[in-house]
Every structure is written in C-alpha cells, then in structure tokens.
Amino acid sequence: MRARWLRSAMAVISAVTLGAAPAAAATARAASKTVYFAFDDGPGEWTPELLAAADAYHAQVTLFFVGRSAEKQPEIVARAAAAGHVIGVHTYSHRWLTGMTAAQVRRELVNGRAALQPYASNCWRPPGWATSPAIEQIGRSLGMRQVLRTVGRTSRRPVFIPAGWTDVDKIVSTVQRTVFDGAVVTLHAERSGNRAQVLAFERLLPVLRARGYRFAPVPGCSRPGFRG
Ligand SMILES: [Zn+2]
C-alpha cells in the first residue's frame, strides 16, 4: 500500500519537476481512444483526396482494394502503403464469393492479392461481406485473415455506412452517434463514384480527434511497404 502511494506521489513529483507540459499531457490523454477506419472498394477517383485527408490528421486507415481496380492505378496503391495504411484484399473482381466454387474463390483471393503486391496485407474482406465458414477457411489456407466488423472481443455493434449513402450530414451524424473506442468504422468511397463518404471522412477526423480518438489501421494486419 505504502509503496503504491509512494509510486504515485513520485509520479506526480516527477511530472511536476520534469516540467511535463500541460499540452503534452493533454495530447497523451487525447490519444487514449482508437477508431479503425476501413474503406471498401477502392482504389478510385477519390482515393488521393482520402489519402490527403488522412495525412493531414496523421490518420492511418485500412483500405480494402479491389485487384482489378488496383491494376489500373498501381501508383495509388504504392502511395497508400508508403503512408502506413493497411492495403487489404477485396478480391480481384468484386463478384460475390458465395455463389462460386472453391476453386473460383481461391482464384479471386490469389489474383486479388497478386494485384496488390508487393503491398498486400494478410487481411481481406469479401465483397458485399458475403461469406461462409468454407470461404473463410479458403482464405486461411492462403494465409489470409478475414476481417469484417469487429476487432478483439467487443460485442458492440459495428459502425457501417452502406455504399449507397450519399448524404454527408447523415454519414457524419451516424458515425458520431455510434462510434466507440475500438470501433471499426467502415465507409465506401469508390466504386459507386461516391465522394460523399470521403467528404464525411474529412469532417469526422477533426471532430473525432477533439473527442479524444486516434486513427489506426486494423490491428493484426501486416503493412508491407511501410517503414514507419
Ligand atoms: Zn466491396
């Protein structure tokens, strides 16, 4: 008991005597919560804007890219990886896997990953989030981890913005209302040509930061190409 009291007293004393600036303390407190932003369906027209917004707030995110789209814009994939974002695999063609044979599923994953090399993470997401234990197992046999809604053992609801949402205010308010420490916040910004979700992301970054959140890639996903 006494030792504990002494330790906390020493911590206070050293914080004071070492001149821990109030601003630094506030920053440490401010970074105590985490949001994992994830974008499905890119890369596309709005990916550079998304990357610029993330950069402005030192936010790192998880980008589930479609192989076929990535092949057309390899420079965007490279730039995102260099900035420390996770480049997740969202199959090659973005066709739903649930109607496919095992061989076709395997091809979608292998080709999707190949299109993102050398930056592909071990993490992947099925198109439409349509999956099954058998599909997840095919991914696992390829060393790929299926990432859907949650991180860790949280039982809270995910924060998921459907691809069709184009109302920036509604997206921002929905995320603000439902976000929590450790939430994976999924946005769609690409295939539908939907800029609204990138604009919402730009608005959410300062708002969530003011509420004490930092922005990190989904844990457990590798980041080849990032030298941070
Ligand atoms: Zn998708």
Side-chain angles (χ1 to χ4, degrees):
M1 195 61 171
R2 185 157 171 249
R4 199 187 306 156
W5 176 86
L6 194 60
R7 261 203 307 279
S8 45
M10 288 302 285
V12 170
I13 291 164
S14 57
V16 171
T17 53
L18 294 176
T27 306
R29 254 198 322 277
S32 61
K33 295 187 284 185
T34 308
V35 159
Y36 306 105
F37 274 108
F39 289 85
D40 287 3
D41 297 357
E45 188 179 356
W46 307 112
T47 308
E49 185 173 338
L50 189 167
L51 295 178
D55 195 40
Y57 287 89
H58 306 290
Q60 289 174 329
V61 302
T62 306
L63 301 156
F64 290 96
F65 282 158
V66 176
R68 197 172 49 186
S69 307
E71 281 178 346
K72 295 180 196 138
Q73 303 160 91
E75 71 290 346
I76 294 183
V77 181
R79 205 196 311 163
H85 305 297
V86 161
I87 310 299
V89 179
H90 200 38
T91 74
Y92 183 75
S93 71
H94 203 269
R95 285 185 298 137
W96 286 29
L97 302 177
T98 39
M100 293 184 182
T101 65
Q104 288 171 322
V105 169
R106 204 182 155 80
R107 208 174 308 133
E108 278 289 333
L109 293 179
V110 168
N111 292 347
R113 180 168 63 182
L116 299 175
Q117 296 299 18
Y119 308 110
S121 160
N122 57 316
C123 288
W124 77 284
R125 239 180 201 178
W129 294 27
T131 187
S132 69
I135 289 170
E136 185 173 7
Q137 178 52 38
I138 293 169
R140 215 177 287 130
S141 73
L142 295 167
M144 297 167 73
R145 177 180 154 225
Q146 181 179 274
V147 173
L148 293 178
R149 291 160 177 257
T150 55
V151 169
R153 281 189 281 169
T154 178
S155 57
R156 298 185 63 170
R157 288 186 60 75
V159 187
F160 179 84
I161 303 297
W165 284 28
T166 55
D167 182 334
V168 179
D169 290 336
K170 184 180 171 190
I171 296 165
V172 169
S173 64
T174 300
V175 172
Q176 277 188 267
R177 199 175 58 247
T178 53
V179 73
F180 56 91
D181 183 19
V184 176
V185 176
T186 296
L187 298 168
H188 295 74
E190 305 292 354
R191 280 163 58 86
S192 51
N194 184 355
R195 188 184 178 204
Q197 303 210 4
V198 170
L199 294 174
F201 176 60
E202 289 172 1
R203 273 176 47 188
L204 282 163
L205 286 167
V207 169
L208 294 182
R209 173 180 279 182
R211 283 172 57 180
Y213 286 101
R214 69 185 187 98
F215 313 106
V218 171
C221 299
S222 60
R223 288 188 288 172
F226 176 51
R227 321 226 177 284

PDB file of all heavy atoms in Angstrom, residues 189-224:
ATOM      1  N   ALA A 189     -16.132   4.414 -50.661  1.00  0.00           N
ATOM      2  CA  ALA A 189     -15.857   5.693 -51.300  1.00  0.00           C
ATOM      3  C   ALA A 189     -15.589   5.588 -52.789  1.00  0.00           C
ATOM      4  O   ALA A 189     -15.336   6.589 -53.431  1.00  0.00           O
ATOM      5  CB  ALA A 189     -14.654   6.342 -50.626  1.00  0.00           C
ATOM      6  N   GLU A 190     -15.675   4.423 -53.341  1.00  0.00           N
ATOM      7  CA  GLU A 190     -15.004   4.298 -54.615  1.00  0.00           C
ATOM      8  C   GLU A 190     -15.844   3.807 -55.782  1.00  0.00           C
ATOM      9  O   GLU A 190     -16.201   4.590 -56.646  1.00  0.00           O
ATOM     10  CB  GLU A 190     -13.797   3.365 -54.443  1.00  0.00           C
ATOM     11  CG  GLU A 190     -12.861   3.813 -53.333  1.00  0.00           C
ATOM     12  CD  GLU A 190     -12.142   5.107 -53.652  1.00  0.00           C
ATOM     13  OE1 GLU A 190     -12.286   5.599 -54.779  1.00  0.00           O
ATOM     14  OE2 GLU A 190     -11.438   5.625 -52.782  1.00  0.00           O
ATOM     15  N   ARG A 191     -16.214   2.592 -55.770  1.00  0.00           N
ATOM     16  CA  ARG A 191     -16.775   2.004 -56.997  1.00  0.00           C
ATOM     17  C   ARG A 191     -18.029   2.733 -57.460  1.00  0.00           C
ATOM     18  O   ARG A 191     -18.297   2.852 -58.628  1.00  0.00           O
ATOM     19  CB  ARG A 191     -17.076   0.531 -56.790  1.00  0.00           C
ATOM     20  CG  ARG A 191     -15.848  -0.324 -56.901  1.00  0.00           C
ATOM     21  CD  ARG A 191     -16.096  -1.677 -56.300  1.00  0.00           C
ATOM     22  NE  ARG A 191     -17.216  -2.361 -56.932  1.00  0.00           N
ATOM     23  CZ  ARG A 191     -17.128  -3.112 -58.026  1.00  0.00           C
ATOM     24  NH1 ARG A 191     -15.968  -3.262 -58.613  1.00  0.00           N
ATOM     25  NH2 ARG A 191     -18.180  -3.710 -58.518  1.00  0.00           N
ATOM     26  N   SER A 192     -18.770   3.238 -56.489  1.00  0.00           N
ATOM     27  CA  SER A 192     -20.002   3.936 -56.845  1.00  0.00           C
ATOM     28  C   SER A 192     -19.730   5.383 -57.260  1.00  0.00           C
ATOM     29  O   SER A 192     -20.656   6.117 -57.575  1.00  0.00           O
ATOM     30  CB  SER A 192     -20.943   3.913 -55.649  1.00  0.00           C
ATOM     31  OG  SER A 192     -20.264   4.356 -54.502  1.00  0.00           O
ATOM     32  N   GLY A 193     -18.461   5.782 -57.258  1.00  0.00           N
ATOM     33  CA  GLY A 193     -18.135   7.172 -57.579  1.00  0.00           C
ATOM     34  C   GLY A 193     -18.658   8.107 -56.507  1.00  0.00           C
ATOM     35  O   GLY A 193     -18.998   9.259 -56.757  1.00  0.00           O
ATOM     36  N   ASN A 194     -18.719   7.607 -55.288  1.00  0.00           N
ATOM     37  CA  ASN A 194     -19.382   8.317 -54.205  1.00  0.00           C
ATOM     38  C   ASN A 194     -18.380   9.143 -53.397  1.00  0.00           C
ATOM     39  O   ASN A 194     -17.708   8.618 -52.517  1.00  0.00           O
ATOM     40  CB  ASN A 194     -20.068   7.276 -53.315  1.00  0.00           C
ATOM     41  CG  ASN A 194     -20.871   7.915 -52.216  1.00  0.00           C
ATOM     42  OD1 ASN A 194     -20.848   9.143 -52.048  1.00  0.00           O
ATOM     43  ND2 ASN A 194     -21.570   7.094 -51.470  1.00  0.00           N
ATOM     44  N   ARG A 195     -18.341  10.440 -53.687  1.00  0.00           N
ATOM     45  CA  ARG A 195     -17.397  11.285 -52.966  1.00  0.00           C
ATOM     46  C   ARG A 195     -17.903  11.643 -51.575  1.00  0.00           C
ATOM     47  O   ARG A 195     -17.129  12.034 -50.703  1.00  0.00           O
ATOM     48  CB  ARG A 195     -17.160  12.572 -53.773  1.00  0.00           C
ATOM     49  CG  ARG A 195     -16.046  13.416 -53.206  1.00  0.00           C
ATOM     50  CD  ARG A 195     -15.919  14.713 -53.966  1.00  0.00           C
ATOM     51  NE  ARG A 195     -14.863  15.558 -53.401  1.00  0.00           N
ATOM     52  CZ  ARG A 195     -14.838  16.875 -53.537  1.00  0.00           C
ATOM     53  NH1 ARG A 195     -15.787  17.483 -54.200  1.00  0.00           N
ATOM     54  NH2 ARG A 195     -13.861  17.571 -53.006  1.00  0.00           N
ATOM     55  N   ALA A 196     -19.191  11.532 -51.349  1.00  0.00           N
ATOM     56  CA  ALA A 196     -19.781  11.965 -50.075  1.00  0.00           C
ATOM     57  C   ALA A 196     -19.090  11.298 -48.885  1.00  0.00           C
ATOM     58  O   ALA A 196     -18.902  11.925 -47.839  1.00  0.00           O
ATOM     59  CB  ALA A 196     -21.270  11.650 -50.057  1.00  0.00           C
ATOM     60  N   GLN A 197     -18.707  10.061 -49.044  1.00  0.00           N
ATOM     61  CA  GLN A 197     -18.137   9.353 -47.894  1.00  0.00           C
ATOM     62  C   GLN A 197     -16.712   9.818 -47.595  1.00  0.00           C
ATOM     63  O   GLN A 197     -16.278   9.779 -46.448  1.00  0.00           O
ATOM     64  CB  GLN A 197     -18.227   7.837 -48.120  1.00  0.00           C
ATOM     65  CG  GLN A 197     -19.685   7.427 -48.365  1.00  0.00           C
ATOM     66  CD  GLN A 197     -20.032   6.031 -47.917  1.00  0.00           C
ATOM     67  OE1 GLN A 197     -19.226   5.319 -47.328  1.00  0.00           O
ATOM     68  NE2 GLN A 197     -21.261   5.620 -48.200  1.00  0.00           N
ATOM     69  N   VAL A 198     -16.012  10.280 -48.627  1.00  0.00           N
ATOM     70  CA  VAL A 198     -14.697  10.886 -48.382  1.00  0.00           C
ATOM     71  C   VAL A 198     -14.866  12.253 -47.717  1.00  0.00           C
ATOM     72  O   VAL A 198     -14.128  12.604 -46.795  1.00  0.00           O
ATOM     73  CB  VAL A 198     -13.887  10.995 -49.694  1.00  0.00           C
ATOM     74  CG1 VAL A 198     -12.639  11.832 -49.484  1.00  0.00           C
ATOM     75  CG2 VAL A 198     -13.500   9.611 -50.188  1.00  0.00           C
ATOM     76  N   LEU A 199     -15.866  13.004 -48.171  1.00  0.00           N
ATOM     77  CA  LEU A 199     -16.138  14.303 -47.542  1.00  0.00           C
ATOM     78  C   LEU A 199     -16.530  14.107 -46.073  1.00  0.00           C
ATOM     79  O   LEU A 199     -16.114  14.882 -45.196  1.00  0.00           O
ATOM     80  CB  LEU A 199     -17.251  15.039 -48.293  1.00  0.00           C
ATOM     81  CG  LEU A 199     -16.893  15.466 -49.728  1.00  0.00           C
ATOM     82  CD1 LEU A 199     -18.118  16.053 -50.427  1.00  0.00           C
ATOM     83  CD2 LEU A 199     -15.744  16.464 -49.729  1.00  0.00           C
ATOM     84  N   ALA A 200     -17.308  13.073 -45.802  1.00  0.00           N
ATOM     85  CA  ALA A 200     -17.699  12.778 -44.416  1.00  0.00           C
ATOM     86  C   ALA A 200     -16.463  12.415 -43.590  1.00  0.00           C
ATOM     87  O   ALA A 200     -16.316  12.849 -42.442  1.00  0.00           O
ATOM     88  CB  ALA A 200     -18.705  11.633 -44.392  1.00  0.00           C
ATOM     89  N   PHE A 201     -15.576  11.639 -44.179  1.00  0.00           N
ATOM     90  CA  PHE A 201     -14.328  11.268 -43.503  1.00  0.00           C
ATOM     91  C   PHE A 201     -13.538  12.521 -43.138  1.00  0.00           C
ATOM     92  O   PHE A 201     -13.044  12.665 -42.015  1.00  0.00           O
ATOM     93  CB  PHE A 201     -13.524  10.358 -44.442  1.00  0.00           C
ATOM     94  CG  PHE A 201     -12.156   9.958 -43.954  1.00  0.00           C
ATOM     95  CD1 PHE A 201     -11.990   9.256 -42.772  1.00  0.00           C
ATOM     96  CD2 PHE A 201     -11.025  10.260 -44.710  1.00  0.00           C
ATOM     97  CE1 PHE A 201     -10.723   8.865 -42.335  1.00  0.00           C
ATOM     98  CE2 PHE A 201      -9.760   9.871 -44.289  1.00  0.00           C
ATOM     99  CZ  PHE A 201      -9.613   9.180 -43.101  1.00  0.00           C
ATOM    100  N   GLU A 202     -13.448  13.466 -44.090  1.00  0.00           N
ATOM    101  CA  GLU A 202     -12.714  14.717 -43.836  1.00  0.00           C
ATOM    102  C   GLU A 202     -13.326  15.493 -42.674  1.00  0.00           C
ATOM    103  O   GLU A 202     -12.612  16.114 -41.893  1.00  0.00           O
ATOM    104  CB  GLU A 202     -12.702  15.588 -45.098  1.00  0.00           C
ATOM    105  CG  GLU A 202     -11.823  15.022 -46.197  1.00  0.00           C
ATOM    106  CD  GLU A 202     -11.962  15.788 -47.512  1.00  0.00           C
ATOM    107  OE1 GLU A 202     -12.715  16.771 -47.573  1.00  0.00           O
ATOM    108  OE2 GLU A 202     -11.319  15.365 -48.491  1.00  0.00           O
ATOM    109  N   ARG A 203     -14.632  15.447 -42.560  1.00  0.00           N
ATOM    110  CA  ARG A 203     -15.289  16.163 -41.460  1.00  0.00           C
ATOM    111  C   ARG A 203     -15.152  15.411 -40.145  1.00  0.00           C
ATOM    112  O   ARG A 203     -15.076  16.020 -39.070  1.00  0.00           O
ATOM    113  CB  ARG A 203     -16.760  16.398 -41.801  1.00  0.00           C
ATOM    114  CG  ARG A 203     -16.914  17.683 -42.599  1.00  0.00           C
ATOM    115  CD  ARG A 203     -18.307  17.949 -43.060  1.00  0.00           C
ATOM    116  NE  ARG A 203     -19.329  17.767 -42.032  1.00  0.00           N
ATOM    117  CZ  ARG A 203     -20.637  17.815 -42.286  1.00  0.00           C
ATOM    118  NH1 ARG A 203     -21.046  18.046 -43.516  1.00  0.00           N
ATOM    119  NH2 ARG A 203     -21.509  17.650 -41.323  1.00  0.00           N
ATOM    120  N   LEU A 204     -15.157  14.096 -40.229  1.00  0.00           N
ATOM    121  CA  LEU A 204     -15.110  13.295 -38.999  1.00  0.00           C
ATOM    122  C   LEU A 204     -13.742  13.336 -38.309  1.00  0.00           C
ATOM    123  O   LEU A 204     -13.659  13.257 -37.080  1.00  0.00           O
ATOM    124  CB  LEU A 204     -15.465  11.831 -39.323  1.00  0.00           C
ATOM    125  CG  LEU A 204     -16.960  11.567 -39.510  1.00  0.00           C
ATOM    126  CD1 LEU A 204     -17.183  10.238 -40.223  1.00  0.00           C
ATOM    127  CD2 LEU A 204     -17.664  11.579 -38.157  1.00  0.00           C
ATOM    128  N   LEU A 205     -12.689  13.481 -39.095  1.00  0.00           N
ATOM    129  CA  LEU A 205     -11.347  13.428 -38.495  1.00  0.00           C
ATOM    130  C   LEU A 205     -11.162  14.467 -37.385  1.00  0.00           C
ATOM    131  O   LEU A 205     -10.813  14.099 -36.259  1.00  0.00           O
ATOM    132  CB  LEU A 205     -10.277  13.559 -39.582  1.00  0.00           C
ATOM    133  CG  LEU A 205     -10.081  12.309 -40.457  1.00  0.00           C
ATOM    134  CD1 LEU A 205      -9.252  12.641 -41.688  1.00  0.00           C
ATOM    135  CD2 LEU A 205      -9.425  11.176 -39.672  1.00  0.00           C
ATOM    136  N   PRO A 206     -11.402  15.762 -37.652  1.00  0.00           N
ATOM    137  CA  PRO A 206     -11.220  16.729 -36.555  1.00  0.00           C
ATOM    138  C   PRO A 206     -12.230  16.555 -35.429  1.00  0.00           C
ATOM    139  O   PRO A 206     -11.897  16.761 -34.259  1.00  0.00           O
ATOM    140  CB  PRO A 206     -11.392  18.090 -37.245  1.00  0.00           C
ATOM    141  CG  PRO A 206     -12.077  17.812 -38.533  1.00  0.00           C
ATOM    142  CD  PRO A 206     -11.724  16.421 -38.929  1.00  0.00           C
ATOM    143  N   VAL A 207     -13.442  16.169 -35.775  1.00  0.00           N
ATOM    144  CA  VAL A 207     -14.489  16.003 -34.749  1.00  0.00           C
ATOM    145  C   VAL A 207     -14.115  14.874 -33.790  1.00  0.00           C
ATOM    146  O   VAL A 207     -14.177  15.020 -32.567  1.00  0.00           O
ATOM    147  CB  VAL A 207     -15.851  15.705 -35.433  1.00  0.00           C
ATOM    148  CG1 VAL A 207     -16.886  15.264 -34.409  1.00  0.00           C
ATOM    149  CG2 VAL A 207     -16.345  16.931 -36.186  1.00  0.00           C
ATOM    150  N   LEU A 208     -13.697  13.744 -34.358  1.00  0.00           N
ATOM    151  CA  LEU A 208     -13.357  12.605 -33.505  1.00  0.00           C
ATOM    152  C   LEU A 208     -12.051  12.840 -32.752  1.00  0.00           C
ATOM    153  O   LEU A 208     -11.903  12.425 -31.605  1.00  0.00           O
ATOM    154  CB  LEU A 208     -13.272  11.318 -34.342  1.00  0.00           C
ATOM    155  CG  LEU A 208     -14.589  10.860 -34.965  1.00  0.00           C
ATOM    156  CD1 LEU A 208     -14.397   9.559 -35.733  1.00  0.00           C
ATOM    157  CD2 LEU A 208     -15.670  10.673 -33.909  1.00  0.00           C
ATOM    158  N   ARG A 209     -11.135  13.536 -33.396  1.00  0.00           N
ATOM    159  CA  ARG A 209      -9.893  13.848 -32.678  1.00  0.00           C
ATOM    160  C   ARG A 209     -10.190  14.713 -31.452  1.00  0.00           C
ATOM    161  O   ARG A 209      -9.648  14.487 -30.371  1.00  0.00           O
ATOM    162  CB  ARG A 209      -8.900  14.568 -33.588  1.00  0.00           C
ATOM    163  CG  ARG A 209      -7.692  15.021 -32.774  1.00  0.00           C
ATOM    164  CD  ARG A 209      -6.679  15.724 -33.607  1.00  0.00           C
ATOM    165  NE  ARG A 209      -5.858  14.752 -34.296  1.00  0.00           N
ATOM    166  CZ  ARG A 209      -4.843  15.080 -35.081  1.00  0.00           C
ATOM    167  NH1 ARG A 209      -4.557  16.338 -35.288  1.00  0.00           N
ATOM    168  NH2 ARG A 209      -4.120  14.160 -35.659  1.00  0.00           N
ATOM    169  N   ALA A 210     -11.088  15.672 -31.613  1.00  0.00           N
ATOM    170  CA  ALA A 210     -11.452  16.541 -30.478  1.00  0.00           C
ATOM    171  C   ALA A 210     -12.118  15.733 -29.366  1.00  0.00           C
ATOM    172  O   ALA A 210     -12.090  16.133 -28.209  1.00  0.00           O
ATOM    173  CB  ALA A 210     -12.380  17.647 -30.960  1.00  0.00           C
ATOM    174  N   ARG A 211     -12.710  14.607 -29.736  1.00  0.00           N
ATOM    175  CA  ARG A 211     -13.320  13.743 -28.718  1.00  0.00           C
ATOM    176  C   ARG A 211     -12.327  12.723 -28.150  1.00  0.00           C
ATOM    177  O   ARG A 211     -12.704  11.827 -27.406  1.00  0.00           O
ATOM    178  CB  ARG A 211     -14.527  13.007 -29.311  1.00  0.00           C
ATOM    179  CG  ARG A 211     -15.751  13.913 -29.416  1.00  0.00           C
ATOM    180  CD  ARG A 211     -16.891  13.272 -30.181  1.00  0.00           C
ATOM    181  NE  ARG A 211     -17.332  11.991 -29.627  1.00  0.00           N
ATOM    182  CZ  ARG A 211     -18.317  11.261 -30.149  1.00  0.00           C
ATOM    183  NH1 ARG A 211     -18.973  11.700 -31.193  1.00  0.00           N
ATOM    184  NH2 ARG A 211     -18.651  10.112 -29.604  1.00  0.00           N
ATOM    185  N   GLY A 212     -11.062  12.845 -28.531  1.00  0.00           N
ATOM    186  CA  GLY A 212     -10.031  12.016 -27.904  1.00  0.00           C
ATOM    187  C   GLY A 212      -9.644  10.764 -28.666  1.00  0.00           C
ATOM    188  O   GLY A 212      -9.001   9.879 -28.121  1.00  0.00           O
ATOM    189  N   TYR A 213     -10.025  10.688 -29.951  1.00  0.00           N
ATOM    190  CA  TYR A 213      -9.692   9.493 -30.725  1.00  0.00           C
ATOM    191  C   TYR A 213      -8.409   9.667 -31.529  1.00  0.00           C
ATOM    192  O   TYR A 213      -8.120  10.755 -32.025  1.00  0.00           O
ATOM    193  CB  TYR A 213     -10.824   9.163 -31.704  1.00  0.00           C
ATOM    194  CG  TYR A 213     -12.040   8.572 -31.047  1.00  0.00           C
ATOM    195  CD1 TYR A 213     -13.158   9.351 -30.781  1.00  0.00           C
ATOM    196  CD2 TYR A 213     -12.069   7.224 -30.694  1.00  0.00           C
ATOM    197  CE1 TYR A 213     -14.286   8.807 -30.173  1.00  0.00           C
ATOM    198  CE2 TYR A 213     -13.185   6.674 -30.089  1.00  0.00           C
ATOM    199  CZ  TYR A 213     -14.284   7.467 -29.834  1.00  0.00           C
ATOM    200  OH  TYR A 213     -15.389   6.927 -29.230  1.00  0.00           O
ATOM    201  N   ARG A 214      -7.681   8.567 -31.671  1.00  0.00           N
ATOM    202  CA  ARG A 214      -6.618   8.499 -32.671  1.00  0.00           C
ATOM    203  C   ARG A 214      -7.090   7.501 -33.733  1.00  0.00           C
ATOM    204  O   ARG A 214      -8.051   6.753 -33.504  1.00  0.00           O
ATOM    205  CB  ARG A 214      -5.293   8.053 -32.045  1.00  0.00           C
ATOM    206  CG  ARG A 214      -5.288   6.620 -31.586  1.00  0.00           C
ATOM    207  CD  ARG A 214      -4.013   6.230 -30.854  1.00  0.00           C
ATOM    208  NE  ARG A 214      -4.033   4.797 -30.590  1.00  0.00           N
ATOM    209  CZ  ARG A 214      -3.418   3.888 -31.341  1.00  0.00           C
ATOM    210  NH1 ARG A 214      -2.685   4.261 -32.374  1.00  0.00           N
ATOM    211  NH2 ARG A 214      -3.503   2.603 -31.057  1.00  0.00           N
ATOM    212  N   PHE A 215      -6.401   7.472 -34.869  1.00  0.00           N
ATOM    213  CA  PHE A 215      -6.877   6.699 -36.011  1.00  0.00           C
ATOM    214  C   PHE A 215      -5.795   5.727 -36.452  1.00  0.00           C
ATOM    215  O   PHE A 215      -4.707   6.138 -36.845  1.00  0.00           O
ATOM    216  CB  PHE A 215      -7.252   7.642 -37.150  1.00  0.00           C
ATOM    217  CG  PHE A 215      -8.103   8.799 -36.680  1.00  0.00           C
ATOM    218  CD1 PHE A 215      -7.559  10.081 -36.576  1.00  0.00           C
ATOM    219  CD2 PHE A 215      -9.411   8.605 -36.292  1.00  0.00           C
ATOM    220  CE1 PHE A 215      -8.320  11.139 -36.123  1.00  0.00           C
ATOM    221  CE2 PHE A 215     -10.186   9.656 -35.830  1.00  0.00           C
ATOM    222  CZ  PHE A 215      -9.643  10.930 -35.736  1.00  0.00           C
ATOM    223  N   ALA A 216      -6.086   4.447 -36.368  1.00  0.00           N
ATOM    224  CA  ALA A 216      -5.067   3.434 -36.634  1.00  0.00           C
ATOM    225  C   ALA A 216      -5.595   2.371 -37.589  1.00  0.00           C
ATOM    226  O   ALA A 216      -6.812   2.194 -37.716  1.00  0.00           O
ATOM    227  CB  ALA A 216      -4.653   2.776 -35.315  1.00  0.00           C
ATOM    228  N   PRO A 217      -4.680   1.650 -38.262  1.00  0.00           N
ATOM    229  CA  PRO A 217      -5.120   0.540 -39.107  1.00  0.00           C
ATOM    230  C   PRO A 217      -5.633  -0.609 -38.233  1.00  0.00           C
ATOM    231  O   PRO A 217      -5.242  -0.730 -37.073  1.00  0.00           O
ATOM    232  CB  PRO A 217      -3.857   0.113 -39.853  1.00  0.00           C
ATOM    233  CG  PRO A 217      -2.800   1.074 -39.505  1.00  0.00           C
ATOM    234  CD  PRO A 217      -3.226   1.801 -38.277  1.00  0.00           C
ATOM    235  N   VAL A 218      -6.470  -1.444 -38.800  1.00  0.00           N
ATOM    236  CA  VAL A 218      -6.989  -2.597 -38.069  1.00  0.00           C
ATOM    237  C   VAL A 218      -5.812  -3.411 -37.526  1.00  0.00           C
ATOM    238  O   VAL A 218      -4.903  -3.760 -38.271  1.00  0.00           O
ATOM    239  CB  VAL A 218      -7.858  -3.471 -39.010  1.00  0.00           C
ATOM    240  CG1 VAL A 218      -8.223  -4.793 -38.348  1.00  0.00           C
ATOM    241  CG2 VAL A 218      -9.115  -2.712 -39.405  1.00  0.00           C
ATOM    242  N   PRO A 219      -5.797  -3.690 -36.228  1.00  0.00           N
ATOM    243  CA  PRO A 219      -4.668  -4.420 -35.654  1.00  0.00           C
ATOM    244  C   PRO A 219      -4.576  -5.853 -36.200  1.00  0.00           C
ATOM    245  O   PRO A 219      -5.589  -6.447 -36.543  1.00  0.00           O
ATOM    246  CB  PRO A 219      -4.971  -4.444 -34.145  1.00  0.00           C
ATOM    247  CG  PRO A 219      -6.250  -3.736 -33.946  1.00  0.00           C
ATOM    248  CD  PRO A 219      -6.823  -3.336 -35.262  1.00  0.00           C
ATOM    249  N   GLY A 220      -3.359  -6.324 -36.273  1.00  0.00           N
ATOM    250  CA  GLY A 220      -3.152  -7.705 -36.733  1.00  0.00           C
ATOM    251  C   GLY A 220      -3.022  -7.829 -38.232  1.00  0.00           C
ATOM    252  O   GLY A 220      -2.873  -8.928 -38.755  1.00  0.00           O
ATOM    253  N   CYS A 221      -3.104  -6.710 -38.942  1.00  0.00           N
ATOM    254  CA  CYS A 221      -2.936  -6.734 -40.393  1.00  0.00           C
ATOM    255  C   CYS A 221      -1.544  -6.201 -40.723  1.00  0.00           C
ATOM    256  O   CYS A 221      -1.158  -5.139 -40.231  1.00  0.00           O
ATOM    257  CB  CYS A 221      -3.984  -5.852 -41.078  1.00  0.00           C
ATOM    258  SG  CYS A 221      -5.681  -6.368 -40.771  1.00  0.00           S
ATOM    259  N   SER A 222      -0.837  -6.924 -41.578  1.00  0.00           N
ATOM    260  CA  SER A 222       0.528  -6.524 -41.901  1.00  0.00           C
ATOM    261  C   SER A 222       0.522  -5.295 -42.802  1.00  0.00           C
ATOM    262  O   SER A 222      -0.454  -5.017 -43.492  1.00  0.00           O
ATOM    263  CB  SER A 222       1.265  -7.679 -42.591  1.00  0.00           C
ATOM    264  OG  SER A 222       0.592  -8.018 -43.777  1.00  0.00           O
ATOM    265  N   ARG A 223       1.645  -4.563 -42.764  1.00  0.00           N
ATOM    266  CA  ARG A 223       1.772  -3.345 -43.577  1.00  0.00           C
ATOM    267  C   ARG A 223       3.052  -3.380 -44.383  1.00  0.00           C
ATOM    268  O   ARG A 223       3.967  -2.582 -44.150  1.00  0.00           O
ATOM    269  CB  ARG A 223       1.740  -2.103 -42.684  1.00  0.00           C
ATOM    270  CG  ARG A 223       0.355  -1.828 -42.126  1.00  0.00           C
ATOM    271  CD  ARG A 223       0.289  -0.510 -41.413  1.00  0.00           C
ATOM    272  NE  ARG A 223       0.990  -0.541 -40.126  1.00  0.00           N
ATOM    273  CZ  ARG A 223       1.198   0.543 -39.380  1.00  0.00           C
ATOM    274  NH1 ARG A 223       0.788   1.716 -39.781  1.00  0.00           N
ATOM    275  NH2 ARG A 223       1.806   0.438 -38.211  1.00  0.00           N
ATOM    276  N   PRO A 224       3.142  -4.292 -45.372  1.00  0.00           N
ATOM    277  CA  PRO A 224       4.353  -4.305 -46.188  1.00  0.00           C
ATOM    278  C   PRO A 224       4.489  -2.981 -46.941  1.00  0.00           C
ATOM    279  O   PRO A 224       3.494  -2.430 -47.393  1.00  0.00           O
ATOM    280  CB  PRO A 224       4.130  -5.462 -47.163  1.00  0.00           C
ATOM    281  CG  PRO A 224       2.800  -6.027 -46.888  1.00  0.00           C
ATOM    282  CD  PRO A 224       2.136  -5.253 -45.793  1.00  0.00           C
TER     283      PRO A 224
END
